[in-house]
């Protein structure tokens, strides 16, 4: 590329960067608020589910009763993991409640929503990896005890995975609608 082409490209870039959009960004507050309430509801459900499971598994862990299929150490791990998951969902719930689409500036809303998306994605990926490792160990334990329990638990996991995949587009839609523009 010679110097004249570079100058022309820089000039074009300067012109593009200097252009300002006259019309300001305004969010559809009704759509944003309804998406915010749906996401908050999902987080509340997750907090409740993880909290109840954490209490149940911690009680089972502390009672010390263990079978060969589901040892005490696995109950302790699952109880602590569910407690951590409930805390993470509480933090995400507080983050979604801080977003005020009617009163905040568009830049602030976009920053908050982008952060919330990132934190949610990181948390969900982390939880998925941990649960995959847990169920790999748990299912290998079940396989050694009996194949019918292995297939029963595997079937339940498959149904859970299908339900999660069905719900995924709704979650994506809700996060997109958090920044719905008029």
């Amino acid at each position: 590329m010679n110097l004249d082409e570079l100058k022309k490209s820089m000039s074009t870039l300067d012109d593009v960067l200097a252009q300002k959009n006259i019309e300001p960004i305004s969010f559809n507050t009704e759509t944003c608020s309804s998406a915010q309430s749906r996401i908050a509801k999902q987080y509340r459900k997750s907090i409740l589910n993880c909290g109840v499971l954490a209490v149940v598994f911690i009680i089972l862990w502390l009672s010390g009763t263990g079978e060969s299929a589901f040892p005490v150490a696995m109950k302790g791990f699952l109880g602590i993991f569910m407690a951590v998951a409930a805390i993470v969902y509480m933090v995400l719930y507080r983050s979604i409640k801080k977003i005020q689409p009617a009163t905040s500036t568009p830049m602030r809303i976009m920053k908050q929503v982008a952060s919330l998306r990132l934190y949610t994605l990181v948390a969900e990926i982390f939880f998925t990896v941990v649960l995959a490792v847990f169920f790999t160990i748990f299912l290998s334990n079940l396989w050694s005890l009996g194949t019918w329990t292995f297939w029963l638990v595997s079937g339940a996991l498959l149904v859970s995975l299908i339900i999660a995949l069905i719900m995924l587009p709704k979650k994506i839609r809700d996060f997109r609608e958090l920044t719905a523009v008029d």
Side-chain angles (χ1 to χ4, degrees):
M1 177 182 258
N2 63 25
L3 189 57
D4 292 332
E5 290 177 13
L6 182 61
K7 286 180 183 178
K8 185 177 179 183
S9 296
M10 292 299 291
S11 172
T12 306
L13 181 62
D14 287 339
D15 291 343
V16 169
L17 291 175
Q19 289 179 359
K20 294 185 179 174
N21 194 354
I22 299 170
E23 103 184 26
I25 297 173
S26 63
F27 292 113
N28 185 344
T29 56
E30 183 179 320
T31 305
C32 294
S33 296
S34 65
Q36 182 182 15
S37 64
R38 286 191 304 267
I39 293 171
K41 182 179 178 183
Q42 290 174 359
Y43 287 153
R44 282 193 308 268
K45 283 182 184 178
S46 298
I47 292 167
L48 181 66
N49 292 339
C50 291
V52 168
L53 287 173
V55 168
V56 167
F57 284 115
I58 288 174
I59 289 172
L60 288 173
W61 175 44
L62 294 177
S63 71
T65 57
E67 307 90 28
S68 55
F70 198 32
V72 177
M74 284 186 171
K75 291 175 187 173
F77 171 77
L78 205 53
I80 292 169
F81 172 72
M82 287 296 161
V84 169
I87 291 169
V88 168
Y89 282 120
M90 279 187 233
V91 170
L92 292 173
Y93 179 75
R94 287 180 53 120
S95 297
I96 190 81
K97 284 301 191 180
K98 288 181 182 178
I99 298 173
Q100 301 297 325
T103 58
S104 294
T105 63
M107 198 62 169
R108 181 173 171 87
I109 293 171
M110 296 293 276
K111 180 181 176 190
Q112 289 173 329
V113 170
S115 296
L116 182 68
R117 284 179 181 160
L118 177 66
Y119 297 150
T120 302
L121 184 63
V122 168
E124 294 290 332
I125 289 172
F126 175 75
F127 294 154
T128 302
V129 168
V130 170
L131 285 176
V133 170
F134 173 79
F135 278 110
T136 301
I137 295 168
F138 181 63
L139 288 174
S140 67
N141 223 14
L142 285 179
W143 183 261
S144 65
L145 294 175
T147 57
W148 69 274
T149 54
F150 170 82
W151 290 113
L152 184 66
V153 172
S154 296
L157 286 173
L158 182 64
V159 169
S160 300
L161 182 65
I162 291 170
I163 291 171
L165 289 175
I166 290 171
M167 292 174 53
L168 185 63
K170 293 177 186 176
K171 285 184 178 183
I172 293 170
R173 182 200 66 206
D174 289 340
F175 274 104
R176 282 190 185 141
E177 287 181 358
L178 267 177
T179 55
V181 180
D182 284 332

